Amino acid sequence: GTARARQHIFRSGEEPGRIVVLRSGWAARFTHVPDGRRQVLSILVPGDIAGAELVIQPSIRVPVQALTEISYCAFDVTDLKEIGVEDPSLVWSFLDICTSGRKDTEARLVDLGRRPLVSGSGRKTPVSPRASMSGGPIRGPDVPHRQIM
């Protein structure tokens, strides 16, 4: 399949019945934080899997949106589950690859998105948690402070 830039691949709560693997382009997994802003949780590039949670739960937990025009391969969840009945270890390996560390990474990204920003040459960078230990802000790479989606 294909999707245009800014088109949703999955919406939160949706039950699409398919998992997709990106073939070209970029997409983003995101959430909305309590103040209403959107927080990017991860960027998907060719070879990444979107919707892997559908193997063990009926609906999408985190929305996925195309950042650029994308192409993807779609795999029917029912077919994947049938394969899993024949070889359960294959399903667990698949899920481990897809989800290992994702929740911890998302929590860190949301926390980082809530940190105060330090300005510099038209760009803003989140203050590192080590700033208080060193007596001043530790700057990471400059990133544009604008919404990309």
Side-chain angles (χ1 to χ4, degrees):
T2 61
R4 298 176 317 278
R6 297 180 181 243
Q7 183 177 345
H8 278 86
I9 300 166
F10 296 126
R11 294 181 186 274
S12 184
E14 180 181 30
E15 297 181 13
R18 73 189 192 297
I19 290 171
V20 302
V21 178
L22 262 62
R23 294 181 61 200
S24 66
W26 290 24
R29 296 174 65 254
F30 65 93
T31 190
H32 288 95
V33 293
D35 68 4
R37 292 180 300 150
R38 190 173 2 195
Q39 174 70 52
V40 173
L41 301 173
S42 62
I43 302 294
L44 304 174
V45 296
D48 285 341
I49 299 169
E53 66 265 29
L54 295 170
V55 172
I56 58 172
Q57 63 189 37
S59 63
I60 293 294
R61 182 176 63 87
V62 176
V64 179
Q65 185 177 23
L67 297 176
T68 65
E69 184 175 315
I70 64 165
S71 66
Y72 59 86
C73 292
F75 298 92
D76 185 86
V77 172
T78 304
D79 292 343
L80 292 172
K81 288 180 179 181
E82 288 174 8
I83 293 168
V85 168
E86 295 171 18
D87 186 357
S89 66
L90 184 62
V91 172
W92 292 113
S93 296
F94 171 75
L95 290 173
D96 187 47
I97 290 167
C98 295
T99 61
S100 61
R102 184 171 283 171
K103 284 186 179 180
D104 290 338
T105 299
E106 291 170 0
R108 284 193 302 273
L109 284 169
V110 169
D111 180 58
L112 184 62
R114 291 181 178 163
R115 294 187 184 281
L117 298 174
V118 175
S119 290
S121 45
R123 296 176 183 261
K124 297 186 177 184
T125 305
V127 175
S128 166
R130 289 184 269 165
S132 61
M133 293 185 292
S134 68
I138 297 174
R139 297 205 30 150
D142 282 342
V143 292
H145 190 241
R146 64 184 175 92
Q147 189 171 357
I148 61 171
M149 297 190 301

